[in-house]
PDB file of all heavy atoms in Angstrom:
ATOM      1  N   GLY P  66      -6.596  11.348 -13.746  1.00  0.00           N
ATOM      2  CA  GLY P  66      -6.945  10.195 -14.469  1.00  0.00           C
ATOM      3  C   GLY P  66      -5.749   9.089 -14.403  1.00  0.00           C
ATOM      4  O   GLY P  66      -6.007   7.878 -14.484  1.00  0.00           O
ATOM      5  N   SER P  77       1.522  -4.379 -11.899  1.00  0.00           N
ATOM      6  CA  SER P  77       1.848  -5.396 -12.910  1.00  0.00           C
ATOM      7  C   SER P  77       3.301  -5.486 -13.216  1.00  0.00           C
ATOM      8  O   SER P  77       3.821  -6.581 -13.487  1.00  0.00           O
ATOM      9  CB  SER P  77       1.020  -5.041 -14.194  1.00  0.00           C
ATOM     10  OG  SER P  77       1.309  -3.757 -14.696  1.00  0.00           O
ATOM     11  N   GLU P  96      24.328 -12.868 -15.488  1.00  0.00           N
ATOM     12  CA  GLU P  96      23.354 -12.201 -14.594  1.00  0.00           C
ATOM     13  C   GLU P  96      22.760 -10.929 -15.325  1.00  0.00           C
ATOM     14  O   GLU P  96      21.524 -10.711 -15.122  1.00  0.00           O
ATOM     15  CB  GLU P  96      23.996 -11.795 -13.335  1.00  0.00           C
ATOM     16  CG  GLU P  96      23.065 -11.059 -12.289  1.00  0.00           C
ATOM     17  CD  GLU P  96      22.062 -12.107 -11.780  1.00  0.00           C
ATOM     18  OE1 GLU P  96      22.178 -13.292 -11.989  1.00  0.00           O
ATOM     19  OE2 GLU P  96      21.050 -11.596 -11.162  1.00  0.00           O
ATOM     20  N   ALA P  97      23.534 -10.269 -16.057  1.00  0.00           N
ATOM     21  CA  ALA P  97      23.088  -8.987 -16.760  1.00  0.00           C
ATOM     22  C   ALA P  97      21.984  -9.403 -17.747  1.00  0.00           C
ATOM     23  O   ALA P  97      20.974  -8.673 -17.920  1.00  0.00           O
ATOM     24  CB  ALA P  97      24.162  -8.337 -17.473  1.00  0.00           C
ATOM     25  N   TYR P 118      -6.393   0.945 -20.001  1.00  0.00           N
ATOM     26  CA  TYR P 118      -6.837   2.100 -19.196  1.00  0.00           C
ATOM     27  C   TYR P 118      -6.355   3.378 -19.760  1.00  0.00           C
ATOM     28  O   TYR P 118      -7.070   4.428 -19.853  1.00  0.00           O
ATOM     29  CB  TYR P 118      -6.248   1.933 -17.789  1.00  0.00           C
ATOM     30  CG  TYR P 118      -6.637   3.155 -16.886  1.00  0.00           C
ATOM     31  CD1 TYR P 118      -7.908   3.189 -16.138  1.00  0.00           C
ATOM     32  CD2 TYR P 118      -5.799   4.192 -16.727  1.00  0.00           C
ATOM     33  CE1 TYR P 118      -8.177   4.273 -15.452  1.00  0.00           C
ATOM     34  CE2 TYR P 118      -6.191   5.273 -15.964  1.00  0.00           C
ATOM     35  CZ  TYR P 118      -7.356   5.379 -15.318  1.00  0.00           C
ATOM     36  OH  TYR P 118      -7.716   6.416 -14.539  1.00  0.00           O
ATOM     37  N   GLY P 133      -8.314  24.518 -30.415  1.00  0.00           N
ATOM     38  CA  GLY P 133      -8.099  25.772 -31.015  1.00  0.00           C
ATOM     39  C   GLY P 133      -7.365  25.598 -32.371  1.00  0.00           C
ATOM     40  O   GLY P 133      -7.332  26.572 -33.164  1.00  0.00           O
ATOM     41  N   PRO P 143     -13.142  17.746 -20.411  1.00  0.00           N
ATOM     42  CA  PRO P 143     -12.975  16.289 -20.768  1.00  0.00           C
ATOM     43  C   PRO P 143     -14.278  15.523 -20.773  1.00  0.00           C
ATOM     44  O   PRO P 143     -14.423  14.679 -21.627  1.00  0.00           O
ATOM     45  CB  PRO P 143     -12.142  15.777 -19.443  1.00  0.00           C
ATOM     46  CG  PRO P 143     -12.376  16.806 -18.429  1.00  0.00           C
ATOM     47  CD  PRO P 143     -12.522  18.168 -19.215  1.00  0.00           C
ATOM     48  N   LEU P 293      12.019   3.970  -0.405  1.00  0.00           N
ATOM     49  CA  LEU P 293      11.238   4.596   0.705  1.00  0.00           C
ATOM     50  C   LEU P 293      10.221   3.631   1.247  1.00  0.00           C
ATOM     51  O   LEU P 293       9.952   3.601   2.436  1.00  0.00           O
ATOM     52  CB  LEU P 293      10.518   5.794   0.122  1.00  0.00           C
ATOM     53  CG  LEU P 293      11.318   7.112  -0.172  1.00  0.00           C
ATOM     54  CD1 LEU P 293      10.557   8.126  -0.821  1.00  0.00           C
ATOM     55  CD2 LEU P 293      11.993   7.521   1.125  1.00  0.00           C
TER      56      LEU P 293
END
Side-chain angles (χ1 to χ4, degrees):
S77 57
E96 183 65 15
Y118 179 85
L293 288 176

